[in-house]
Amino acid sequence: MYELLKTIDDPATLRKLDRKELHRLADELRQFVLESVSKTGGHLSSNLGTVELTIALHYVFNTPHDRIVWDVGHQTYPHKILTGRREAMARLRMFGGISGFPRRKESEYDTFGTAHSSTSISAALGMAVAAKRKGESRQVVAVIGDGAMSAGEAFEAMNNAGVLDTDLIVVLNDNEMSISPAVGGLNRYLARLMSGPYVAARKAGERLLKSMPHMLEFAKRVEGHAKGLVVPSTLFEEFGFNYIGPIDGHDLESLIPTLRNIKSANGPRFLHVVTRKGQGYKLAEADPVLYHGVSKFEPQSGIASGKGGGKLTYTQVFGDWLCDIAAADERIVGITPAMREGSGLVRFAAEYPDRYFDVGIAEQHAVTFAAGLACEGLKPVVAIYSTFLQRAYDQLIHDVCIQTLPVVFALDRAGLVGADGATHHGAFDLSFLRCLPNMVVMAPADENECRQMLYTATTLAGPAAVRYPRGSGTGAAIEAEMRALPVGKGEVRRTGRGVAILAFGSMLRTALDAAEELDATVANMRFVKPLDAALALELARSHALVVTIEENAVMGGAGSAVAEALAAAGVSVPILHLGLPDVFIDHGDQGQLLASVGLDKAGVVAAIRARLPGSGRAIQAA
């Protein structure tokens, strides 16, 4: 099995194959991806859809000298397998294993680190300009999906590329059939014509008409209108790109000649290929969304391995709450930047389609769109991952907070998210949110508190954020009734002596477990802003050591807020801040990652005892 694939250790070996062997290689590579991901979990549909495209790119271009920049990176497993990481796929996205996304430090073939959308054209343009300035002859190819093309950065880059005399190739991987009709023999013929003889004829015509600018301009207009009759080229041509396609992204006999013709041309070139998510695996073809990101599963049946837990996830809690509040208040609307499933909005979208807005991969627009809705009396709820809100920080400040608009931000995946790693950890939201005037920031300790905090956010006259972790909570019973919590008020959950642990959000359970061993006092602080300064001061005055714990960067986070409050009141007490260190934390199991940074029970107990005098006895109250 995989006899041909096992001979490919790098693209140079791939390029030695006869073209007739590539079809067999594609079959083996697709089967290897399926088998591999079924054992490790990961992104499946998008990777099955780019097998032939990946083979063709590495077959035609002289990688790594020629640069390939993948957008997001969900589709790069075939690329990793063909670039020397076939055996490493056994530990994909695991602690100490290879990443699920391109990483520069992992391979010279990963020319640009990605995971957030729509960066490829900008990065590739930078590389192309650098090559030109250094006098280096190389091709630079950006591979971007049609979803990523919905983000403004992609069009900003294209707008810039079109006015630079730079060799750049953009490959649009259209896997939703959202731009073009079905492809066939005619489109294949047109693609070859436009990438080969057409380009030569175009250049000859330009030279001939160069001395007659009016005729040259007229010819370009005629050309544009003529191409617009048969291919959707007008938009990309207006950006200054020579548009080629659409072509079948699973047809190697079309891909390879077309890419070779494009490679021999120069200037900005745009190749439109149409692929199918889940290609070759019928279950993924039938439901590419379900099989976009998977846990371990049995390939024949598609059934996930192991049994799931009975607890609700925070994402489910949010989705149910949004439907409940929408039933009670017709002003509620839900907004997502292309994360309906991930953010728990499937039910809401079905029950309230006229109040559900998926704006595409456009976080900046999502936030300002919400601000506009709030201006007119609606109550927008923006469901967004913590890591993606970073992309709309200026809009958060300028369009929401300065105007004190009542927008609710439901921040999913706050803290360490696991296998997606550094690019997706919600490590900074408490730090970048609490410094914003007019913003209320809440961190629930369990599922019911999450529901009540979300409701509380809708009752406020200004912006509010509720940040909650990935996965399930403690199994807390959820109250159907929605009630507003007193803003800026925490609660003491355990009374001990000597040590006071001020816990924020997801760290409460760990703090309580550690406190049992230390006989410490534990407070569920609930609000990061406004902070319950009175409670913090009370505990600081009655205990000899204050410990803050949060699943956020220590620098500028909730612990910093406590330290600032104590300093402002002139209270001097030893204080220990526990949280995420000043490094980018790698991928792995969530529990394993928390333990690696000392945020499990053992790590918390050890850190506190290290600050105690003697052999670890509790500090007596001052």
Side-chain angles (χ1 to χ4, degrees), residues 84-140:
R85 287 166 280 181
R86 183 178 64 253
E87 300 304 319
M89 290 292 290
R91 290 192 53 77
L92 177 74
R93 292 159 38 100
M94 298 180 189
F95 193 71
I98 63 172
S99 170
F101 302 102
R103 303 180 80 187
R104 283 171 54 82
K105 69 179 183 180
E106 189 177 292
S107 170
E108 63 178 334
Y109 293 94
D110 292 359
T111 60
F112 194 76
T114 61
H116 287 193
S117 162
S118 315
T119 62
S120 60
I121 303 176
S122 296
L125 179 59
M127 294 177 184
V129 169
K132 182 179 180 180
R133 287 188 59 83
K134 295 191 295 181
E136 296 172 346
S137 177
R138 73 171 82 250
Q139 298 288 336
V140 183

Side-chain angles (χ1 to χ4, degrees), residues 348-417:
F348 181 82
E351 294 184 9
Y352 300 96
D354 59 332
R355 293 155 68 180
Y356 165 74
F357 300 94
D358 183 343
V359 302
I361 303 177
E363 293 87 358
Q364 293 172 296
H365 166 60
V367 172
T368 304
F369 173 56
L373 291 166
C375 283
E376 299 302 318
L378 297 185
K379 291 187 173 182
V381 178
V382 179
I384 190 170
Y385 288 9
S386 168
T387 187
F388 296 141
L389 184 59
Q390 296 163 185
R391 295 164 66 95
Y393 194 51
D394 180 63
Q395 286 68 31
L396 183 63
I397 297 170
H398 183 272
D399 300 333
V400 175
C401 289
I402 287 179
Q403 303 185 92
T404 323
L405 292 172
V407 177
V408 176
F409 294 92
L411 301 190
D412 204 333
R413 270 64 166 181
L416 299 179
V417 300

